[in-house]
Amino acid sequence: MAHPGDLSALAGLIAAGTIRAGDVRAVIGKTEGNGGLNDFTRGFFTQSLMLLLARHTGEAPEALAARIPCVLSGGTEGALSPHYMVFAVARDRGGASGLALGSAFSPPTQAGEIGRVAQIEAVSAAVRAAMADAGIARAEDVALVQVKAPCALAPGPEARSGDPRMLMALSRAAAAFGAGIAIGDIAPEAGTEAALLRDVQHFSSRVSISSGIEVTCNEVVVIGRAAGWTPGITAGVAPMRDLLDLDGVIAACRAAGLEASPAVADRSRVLGVIAKGEPDKAGHIRGARHTMLGDTDIDAQRHLRGALGAIVAAVTGDGQVFVSGGAEHQGPPGGGLVCIFARE
Amino acid sequence: MAHPGDLSALAGLIAAGTIRAGDVRAVIGKTEGNGGLNDFTRGFFTQSLMLLLARHTGEAPEALAARIPCVLSGGTEGALSPHYMVFAVARDRGGASGLALGSAFSPPTQAGEIGRVAQIEAVSAAVRAAMADAGIARAEDVALVQVKAPCALAPGPEARSGDPRMLMALSRAAAAFGAGIAIGDIAPEAGTEAALLRDVQHFSSRVSISSGIEVTCNEVVVIGRAAGWTPGITAGVAPMRDLLDLDGVIAACRAAGLEASPAVADRSRVLGVIAKGEPDKAGHIRGARHTMLGDTDIDAQRHLRGALGAIVAAVTGDGQVFVSGGAEHQGPPGGGLVCIFARE
Amino acid sequence: MAHPGDLSALAGLIAAGTIRAGDVRAVIGKTEGNGGLNDFTRGFFTQSLMLLLARHTGEAPEALAARIPCVLSGGTEGALSPHYMVFAVARDRGGASGLALGSAFSPPTQAGEIGRVAQIEAVSAAVRAAMADAGIARAEDVALVQVKAPCALAPGPEARSGDPRMLMALSRAAAAFGAGIAIGDIAPEAGTEAALLRDVQHFSSRVSISSGIEVTCNEVVVIGRAAGWTPGITAGVAPMRDLLDLDGVIAACRAAGLEASPAVADRSRVLGVIAKGEPDKAGHIRGARHTMLGDTDIDAQRHLRGALGAIVAAVTGDGQVFVSGGAEHQGPPGGGLVCIFARE
Amino acid sequence: MAHPGDLSALAGLIAAGTIRAGDVRAVIGKTEGNGGLNDFTRGFFTQSLMLLLARHTGEAPEALAARIPCVLSGGTEGALSPHYMVFAVARDRGGASGLALGSAFSPPTQAGEIGRVAQIEAVSAAVRAAMADAGIARAEDVALVQVKAPCALAPGPEARSGDPRMLMALSRAAAAFGAGIAIGDIAPEAGTEAALLRDVQHFSSRVSISSGIEVTCNEVVVIGRAAGWTPGITAGVAPMRDLLDLDGVIAACRAAGLEASPAVADRSRVLGVIAKGEPDKAGHIRGARHTMLGDTDIDAQRHLRGALGAIVAAVTGDGQVFVSGGAEHQGPPGGGLVCIFARE
């Protein structure tokens, strides 16, 4: 991408017949904004993407946006590089077993449901629906659940918090619990309202959540292994214990079948990389004070993405890493997770 | 360090008799400012350090500042942690051979000499004097040359550039050439005025330069192996080919005698880490566009330090890494260097 | 505007029949980005605007962008408010004399012409063409010349500077000279290549220039008084001697026929406000040191806009002020200019 | 000030005998940091100030810091200029009536008292003590109460909030209520715990509060008119209704006896300027949306100071304005206050 409105690479693939516009099922991308409330690079990209697809499918941009999850994270700090991953599902696919993708949308979420048991349950149901859509039979076959969770810009008295940033964190936490319960990483009885953001021992290292005020329901994409899908692509996931957990990154590569010692030997096999993490809330990493949380000049999430992205990119050999903060209940506290898509 | 004026750790070591204030020969540290022109954490630290040493030695703070190089880099982005390394040389030292330290100051530098052959030669001479001070006999025994190079806040017509930031870069480049020539990494005839900042194929991976408007001459610290010094500490240096060169970081660890596969096995043996690097000037890392150079919100050096520091810290297992930008002719272009001090 | 892609206000006016999409001749607006090289809110707005107009006129967005100057400045620091001014010219207009608008585009500009006499002359010619387009007979009847001047992202050896930011400043300077000469504020013989950015005594307080890498020729809008235009709107312009020149702001209001003592008495008559300014390059305002030019955390232009915008807004009583930095030869050095559009 | 550690101007006045170091009773200053949690320019200035005074008085720096309130605000955005005001009280003063200064410190504040009625009452008592110290007999003779209020970096369960930033706001609010009650601007019965930050209709336009984690009790300075003080200096205070309230700034000037139409006619009579303000919490100023509260790149207080400072400086003709955010219950909500010290 030359800029956040530059879809020329996808346009070229569509023009060449490599991808059919109608086959696009989800997009996950990283734009070069600040990643915060006032990051408009996400909206610019989404508008440009939907215009491109609309031109080729004949559908209205609004209709496309309502059925194609477009998960964007702003912020390409340090070694990171703006990019997007297009998940397209060919209609004539087939095979014994391969990497499968399914999606589902919960009913519209009321502001009063965000960060409450209602949202946990709605996300669990949507994850199960997405698994069914993909044909993934067993929870252990799920590689990654990606959720876009809703928020409210001006939360009213019915909301659990009047602060949009806190409500966003609660929404991510509830979605992480919902997804974690659906795939068996979190015990169902742990999913209480009080547990959100507090019981950090409950987490899943296979769920990645983003939330935004422009989202009005829980949009779920599930990726995993299922029968009837074309072989050739695999996904590997591993937790990161803390921000410096190089072994965790390498473990994710190996889980995706890649040789890494420590850098990935064959970069051309890497198709996409997703990482979640957070600045350690106690303010220390392995006993050394970090300064991410108290910096008035650079947002803590920008610090985090620059550091986490560089470590992951040093292993995969490429700055095109989808790195996102806000890792509540997504991987170990103070750590996070890495997911690698690779050619087999 | 709890803050840039917090010298309590050193005060404790002096009070306990572990370090004698009079033995302190150099300090290299990282403070939590923005690392730019308006970073006053460096001045705050220096004032606090010299007050502490003055209290114990009886010397005036100004006299101490004139004989003890205090090299500070602002900016602890991402995983980095504020810290300082104190280099003290005991008077009763002795031994067959060990890590040695020497220092030297060039005569006061005129603004018109900065970034010119006069500075290259002055630094070369100072490096040779510092080697002699340390008793380092051979250029190949030098592990690292650290230079504080001068600049001018309001350069006049005699200066090579009227822009203080450009003059700082020229000063670093001239000092890198001077040091690189003195230790045999750069051919003497390559050291012309025109070569500075232009002939990027000339570099040394054993020199680390900082420049500042508060510096009035070339202050040189040389660290290497020499006879007559107590054994027990070693230094390893390696170049980084680019920002993602994980193998380069590991090579530096191994050069310091540390097992690293990929993370350092015994973190307690790591005494100090220095890294230099720069955002690739062509705007790409291994073919992927980075956004460090065109960001109006975050300075390119802050991006660089967050990324480089995280990669080095992931290997050494500790955010206490002295990471500094401005790596002109210090390591390969677009890359840099890593130096590790370790217990043997 | 709720965000940089929000054109709902203009869509409403078009839907209500208040404005005909085909009558839109120019748009000048302020979006909430950082105002720097990586500000994509301008592109997002432009894409959204042209989509809206395309839907109503049937023209392609690209064709609309090629004939409707859309001058955007990013950055709504402090009291500033995101907004846009739409200049529409009704086909059935008429009257004795009123505020007129004309536009013109120079031929495509080569990179080697930027910041050189060729650009000065091209802008002068375009300003004269735009005056003719508007029917403005005399130079003294021009209220304001607004120019979008070209730049090059990767200037080659033929360019006057290889640094895109410097080339942007040179482009603004050349355009200011060209426009100033065309309207008689600058003597033609002063317009030499060497004078640009250097001879600060040459300026016009009636020209406002922006430059950008996305611009490929000099796009000129001239506003002034001419026969045959509907009366009812007026424009007032005044220079600001320095950043704190409150009297200059008030003078512009009075020149637009508004009572201001010091705040404008009838805010409802204010239709639009344009201000240009720059941080004093000597680093002082009336003898007091400012810190805008050496701040690593906040770009100098963001400092400038926040301060200048607040002063103008305090007089006009409204944060919807188009404030733009880069005021080379546009108003007195260290100062700038203010232009107010008002109902008579 | 050339930098935050530059006390050379005061040193010169002491050396010249103009000020006696022992007469210094309070310092209020503005340093060029970011004004946030990680702004160390305040500590650097304080260390440098106390060293200077210690050298001349023979007292220990710590003892001086414990008896001389040093109120600093970081952030010189836009037109603002780093500076400090020294309040010295000559021992041989005398006269019929003049501007008086008194100070008082509350007992050490427990974390559990911050933002509670205990703090309100402690501040009220300290204000009364400071009035007595100054000899100010009537509440209406108080021009300004300046308070440094305590906070806790790691608030425990006894604290009203575990978030240090929220606790700082609560501390400022409680101190504003305490001071406002003591000088009769707020009814005593309004001062409940629940009212803090909520009942915005209660405020005083004569109190200015800062809070910080380095402060351990409520430090109060009261300035006003009293018998027995040398005439010649006066203070004027006025509220600002909102951020653009130019008339409020002018009113403060006139209250200090200055002619202002709108800029102050005789700048040489202005001795010092203090302004407090806050970004409107509803996100609008006179109906126009501002973007200060949702900006990830620039802190809201930095936006605010740049805008407010420029408006005040445009009237007083000088960027040396002490502008501080965090104006809870200090002036009207969304607005603030201005206080001008001037020669009569």
Side-chain angles (χ1 to χ4, degrees):
Chain A
M1 299 167 77
H3 59 77
D6 174 23
L7 271 294
S8 58
L10 178 57
L13 291 172
I14 293 174
T18 311
I19 290 180
R20 291 169 53 135
D23 291 346
V24 174
R25 289 288 299 277
V27 174
I28 299 179
K30 198 105 200 70
T31 52
E32 57 201 286
N34 63 33
L37 278 178
N38 66 326
D39 183 349
F40 303 103
T41 61
R42 298 177 300 225
F44 187 17
F45 177 90
T46 303
Q47 183 185 73
S48 304
L49 170 69
M50 299 306 170
L51 281 169
L52 172 67
L53 296 180
R55 208 173 303 140
H56 288 279
T57 63
E59 287 177 85
E62 297 73 25
L64 289 163
R67 74 169 175 82
I68 301 176
C70 179
V71 182
L72 297 172
S73 165
T76 54
E77 294 80 9
L80 293 171
S81 185
H83 71 286
Y84 54 100
M85 294 174 258
V86 177
F87 295 82
V89 175
R91 267 163 277 186
D92 55 353
R93 65 185 161 84
S97 170
L99 201 67
L101 180 145
S103 62
F105 292 68
S106 77
T109 308
Q110 305 304 316
E113 295 170 15
I114 295 174
R116 295 212 162 98
V117 171
Q119 190 188 8
I120 297 175
E121 293 177 347
V123 171
S124 280
V127 170
R128 284 187 211 103
M131 286 173 64
D133 181 45
I136 300 173
R138 303 179 309 171
E140 58 263 42
D141 290 337
V142 171
L144 189 79
V145 181
Q146 176 75 48
V147 184
K148 269 181 80 178
C151 193
L153 183 55
E158 77 286 8
R160 196 173 152 194
S161 169
D163 174 356
R165 293 178 214 220
M166 172 54 72
L167 203 60
M168 285 174 81
L170 287 165
S171 184
R172 285 192 300 263
F177 262 90
I181 289 169
I183 61 172
D185 286 352
I186 297 177
E189 60 273 18
T192 64
E193 187 176 315
L196 302 181
L197 302 183
R198 191 194 65 186
D199 297 350
V200 294
Q201 76 276 22
H202 298 301
F203 60 83
S204 169
S205 299
R206 296 186 289 163
V207 307
S208 164
I209 319 286
S210 70
S211 63
I213 54 169
E214 75 282 11
V215 187
T216 55
C217 71
N218 298 285
E219 306 181 15
V220 173
V221 177
V222 172
I223 295 171
R225 187 158 291 272
W229 289 73
T230 313
I233 300 179
T234 187
V237 187
M240 287 182 75
R241 285 172 299 118
D242 62 20
L243 180 51
L244 301 180
D245 185 14
L246 197 50
D247 290 334
V249 183
I250 294 168
C253 293
R254 292 181 180 158
L258 296 166
E259 193 186 335
S261 56
V264 166
D266 184 357
R267 284 174 50 200
S268 70
R269 285 178 50 202
V270 178
L271 293 171
V273 184
I274 290 174
K276 289 287 284 189
E278 63 180 4
D280 188 277
K281 290 195 169 54
H284 292 79
I285 303 172
R286 302 186 191 178
R289 180 169 69 96
H290 70 75
T291 61
M292 293 186 265
L293 295 172
D295 189 351
T296 302
D297 300 314
I298 299 182
D299 185 65
Q301 301 297 338
R302 303 205 75 177
H303 276 291
L304 183 279
R305 284 190 299 260
L308 175 56
I311 293 169
V312 176
V315 173
T316 62
D318 189 341
Q320 299 194 44
V321 178
F322 176 91
V323 175
S324 163
E328 302 86 355
H329 309 290
Q330 303 150 63
L337 62 93
V338 179
C339 171
I340 314 251
F341 301 110
R343 284 187 217 285
E344 281 177 326
Chain B
M1 298 169 77
H3 59 77
D6 176 23
L7 270 295
S8 58
L10 178 57
L13 291 172
I14 293 173
T18 311
I19 289 180
R20 290 168 56 134
D23 290 346
V24 173
R25 290 286 300 275
V27 174
I28 300 179
K30 199 105 200 70
T31 52
E32 57 201 286
N34 63 33
L37 278 179
N38 67 326
D39 183 348
F40 303 103
T41 60
R42 298 177 298 224
F44 188 15
F45 177 90
T46 303
Q47 177 169 288
S48 304
L49 169 69
M50 298 307 169
L51 281 170
L52 172 66
L53 296 181
R55 208 174 303 140
H56 288 280
T57 62
E59 287 178 86
E62 297 72 26
L64 289 163
R67 73 169 177 82
I68 302 177
C70 179
V71 182
L72 297 172
S73 165
T76 54
E77 294 80 8
L80 292 172
S81 186
H83 71 287
Y84 54 99
M85 294 175 257
V86 177
F87 295 81
V89 175
R91 268 163 276 184
D92 54 352
R93 63 188 163 82
S97 169
L99 200 66
L101 181 145
S103 61
F105 292 67
S106 77
T109 308
Q110 306 304 316
E113 295 170 14
I114 296 174
R116 295 213 161 99
V117 170
Q119 190 187 8
I120 297 176
E121 293 177 348
V123 171
S124 281
V127 170
R128 284 187 211 103
M131 286 173 64
D133 181 45
I136 301 173
R138 302 180 309 171
E140 58 262 43
D141 289 337
V142 171
L144 189 78
V145 180
Q146 176 75 47
V147 183
K148 270 180 81 179
C151 192
L153 183 56
E158 78 285 8
R160 194 172 154 194
S161 170
D163 174 354
R165 293 178 215 222
M166 172 53 73
L167 203 60
M168 284 174 82
L170 287 165
S171 184
R172 285 192 299 265
F177 263 88
I181 289 169
I183 61 172
D185 286 353
I186 298 178
E189 61 273 18
T192 65
E193 186 175 316
L196 302 182
L197 302 182
R198 189 194 67 185
D199 296 352
V200 295
Q201 76 276 21
H202 297 303
F203 60 84
S204 169
S205 298
R206 297 186 288 163
V207 306
S208 165
I209 319 287
S210 69
S211 63
I213 53 169
E214 75 282 11
V215 186
T216 55
C217 71
N218 298 284
E219 306 181 14
V220 173
V221 178
V222 172
I223 294 171
R225 186 158 291 272
W229 290 72
T230 314
I233 300 179
T234 188
V237 186
M240 288 182 73
R241 284 174 299 119
D242 62 20
L243 180 52
L244 301 180
D245 184 13
L246 197 49
D247 289 334
V249 184
I250 294 167
C253 293
R254 292 182 180 158
L258 296 166
E259 194 187 333
S261 57
V264 166
D266 184 358
R267 282 173 51 201
S268 70
R269 285 179 49 202
V270 178
L271 292 172
V273 184
I274 290 174
K276 289 287 284 188
E278 64 179 3
D280 187 276
K281 291 196 169 52
H284 292 80
I285 304 172
R286 302 186 190 178
R289 180 170 68 96
H290 71 76
T291 61
M292 292 186 265
L293 294 172
D295 189 351
T296 303
D297 299 315
I298 298 183
D299 184 66
Q301 301 298 339
R302 305 205 73 175
H303 276 290
L304 183 279
R305 284 189 299 260
L308 175 56
I311 293 169
V312 176
V315 173
T316 62
D318 188 341
Q320 299 193 43
V321 179
F322 177 90
V323 176
S324 164
E328 302 86 355
H329 309 290
Q330 303 149 62
L337 63 94
V338 180
C339 172
I340 315 252
F341 300 109
R343 282 187 219 285
E344 281 177 324
Chain C
M1 300 166 76
H3 59 77
D6 175 24
L7 270 295
S8 58
L10 178 58
L13 291 173
I14 293 172
T18 312
I19 290 179
R20 291 169 54 135
D23 290 347
V24 173
R25 290 286 301 277
V27 174
I28 299 179
K30 199 105 199 70
T31 52
E32 58 202 285
N34 63 33
L37 278 178
N38 67 326
D39 183 348
F40 303 102
T41 60
R42 297 177 299 225
F44 188 16
F45 178 91
T46 303
Q47 178 169 288
S48 304
L49 170 70
M50 299 306 170
L51 281 171
L52 171 67
L53 296 180
R55 207 173 304 139
H56 288 279
T57 62
E59 286 177 85
E62 297 73 25
L64 289 163
R67 74 169 176 81
I68 302 176
C70 179
V71 183
L72 297 172
S73 165
T76 53
E77 294 80 8
L80 292 172
S81 186
H83 71 287
Y84 54 100
M85 295 175 256
V86 178
F87 294 83
V89 174
R91 268 164 278 186
D92 56 353
R93 66 187 161 82
S97 170
L99 200 67
L101 179 146
S103 61
F105 292 68
S106 78
T109 307
Q110 306 304 315
E113 295 170 15
I114 296 174
R116 294 212 163 99
V117 170
Q119 190 187 8
I120 297 175
E121 292 177 348
V123 171
S124 281
V127 170
R128 284 186 211 104
M131 286 173 64
D133 181 45
I136 300 173
R138 304 179 308 172
E140 59 262 42
D141 289 338
V142 171
L144 189 79
V145 180
Q146 176 76 48
V147 183
K148 269 181 82 178
C151 192
L153 183 55
E158 78 284 9
R160 197 173 151 193
S161 168
D163 174 355
R165 294 178 212 220
M166 173 54 71
L167 203 61
M168 285 174 82
L170 287 165
S171 184
R172 286 192 299 266
F177 263 90
I181 290 169
I183 61 174
D185 286 353
I186 297 177
E189 61 274 17
T192 65
E193 188 176 314
L196 302 182
L197 302 182
R198 190 194 67 187
D199 296 350
V200 295
Q201 76 276 22
H202 296 302
F203 60 83
S204 168
S205 299
R206 296 186 289 163
V207 307
S208 164
I209 319 286
S210 69
S211 64
I213 54 169
E214 76 281 10
V215 187
T216 54
C217 71
N218 299 285
E219 306 181 15
V220 173
V221 178
V222 171
I223 296 171
R225 187 157 291 272
W229 290 73
T230 314
I233 300 178
T234 188
V237 187
M240 288 182 74
R241 284 173 299 118
D242 62 20
L243 180 51
L244 301 180
D245 184 14
L246 197 49
D247 290 334
V249 184
I250 293 168
C253 293
R254 291 181 181 158
L258 296 166
E259 193 187 335
S261 56
V264 166
D266 184 357
R267 283 173 50 199
S268 70
R269 284 178 51 201
V270 177
L271 292 172
V273 184
I274 289 174
K276 289 286 284 189
E278 63 179 4
D280 187 276
K281 290 195 170 51
H284 293 80
I285 304 172
R286 301 186 191 178
R289 180 170 68 97
H290 70 76
T291 62
M292 293 186 265
L293 294 172
D295 189 351
T296 303
D297 300 315
I298 299 183
D299 185 65
Q301 300 297 338
R302 304 205 74 176
H303 277 290
L304 184 278
R305 286 190 298 261
L308 175 56
I311 293 169
V312 176
V315 173
T316 62
D318 189 341
Q320 300 193 45
V321 178
F322 176 90
V323 175
S324 164
E328 301 87 354
H329 309 290
Q330 304 150 61
L337 63 93
V338 180
C339 172
I340 314 252
F341 301 110
R343 284 187 217 284
E344 283 177 323
Chain D
M1 298 168 77
H3 59 77
D6 176 23
L7 270 294
S8 57
L10 178 57
L13 291 173
I14 293 174
T18 312
I19 290 180
R20 290 169 54 134
D23 290 346
V24 173
R25 290 287 300 276
V27 173
I28 300 179
K30 199 105 200 70
T31 53
E32 56 201 287
N34 63 33
L37 278 178
N38 66 327
D39 183 348
F40 303 102
T41 60
R42 298 177 299 226
F44 188 18
F45 178 89
T46 303
Q47 182 184 71
S48 305
L49 170 68
M50 299 307 169
L51 280 171
L52 172 67
L53 296 180
R55 207 174 305 141
H56 288 279
T57 63
E59 287 179 86
E62 298 72 26
L64 289 163
R67 73 169 176 80
I68 301 177
C70 178
V71 183
L72 297 172
S73 166
T76 53
E77 294 80 9
L80 293 172
S81 186
H83 71 287
Y84 54 99
M85 294 175 257
V86 177
F87 295 82
V89 174
R91 267 164 276 185
D92 55 352
R93 64 185 162 83
S97 170
L99 200 66
L101 179 146
S103 62
F105 292 67
S106 77
T109 307
Q110 305 304 316
E113 295 171 14
I114 296 173
R116 294 212 162 98
V117 170
Q119 190 187 7
I120 298 176
E121 293 177 347
V123 171
S124 280
V127 170
R128 284 187 210 103
M131 287 173 62
D133 181 46
I136 301 173
R138 303 179 309 171
E140 59 262 43
D141 290 338
V142 170
L144 189 79
V145 180
Q146 177 76 46
V147 183
K148 270 181 80 179
C151 192
L153 183 56
E158 77 285 8
R160 196 171 154 194
S161 169
D163 174 354
R165 293 178 214 223
M166 172 55 71
L167 202 61
M168 283 174 83
L170 287 165
S171 184
R172 285 192 299 265
F177 262 89
I181 289 169
I183 61 172
D185 285 353
I186 298 178
E189 60 273 20
T192 64
E193 186 175 315
L196 302 182
L197 302 183
R198 191 194 65 187
D199 296 351
V200 294
Q201 76 277 19
H202 297 302
F203 60 83
S204 168
S205 299
R206 297 186 288 162
V207 306
S208 165
I209 319 285
S210 70
S211 63
I213 53 168
E214 75 281 11
V215 187
T216 55
C217 71
N218 298 285
E219 306 181 14
V220 172
V221 178
V222 172
I223 295 170
R225 186 158 292 272
W229 289 73
T230 313
I233 300 178
T234 187
V237 186
M240 289 182 73
R241 284 172 299 118
D242 61 21
L243 180 52
L244 301 180
D245 184 14
L246 197 50
D247 290 334
V249 183
I250 294 167
C253 294
R254 292 181 180 158
L258 297 166
E259 193 186 334
S261 57
V264 165
D266 184 358
R267 283 173 51 200
S268 70
R269 285 179 50 202
V270 177
L271 293 172
V273 184
I274 290 174
K276 290 286 284 188
E278 64 180 4
D280 188 277
K281 291 197 169 52
H284 292 80
I285 303 172
R286 301 186 191 178
R289 179 170 69 95
H290 71 76
T291 61
M292 292 186 265
L293 294 172
D295 189 351
T296 303
D297 299 315
I298 299 183
D299 184 66
Q301 300 299 337
R302 303 204 75 174
H303 276 292
L304 184 279
R305 284 190 298 260
L308 175 56
I311 294 169
V312 176
V315 173
T316 62
D318 189 341
Q320 299 194 43
V321 178
F322 176 91
V323 175
S324 163
E328 302 86 353
H329 309 289
Q330 302 150 64
L337 63 93
V338 179
C339 171
I340 314 251
F341 301 109
R343 284 186 218 284
E344 280 177 325

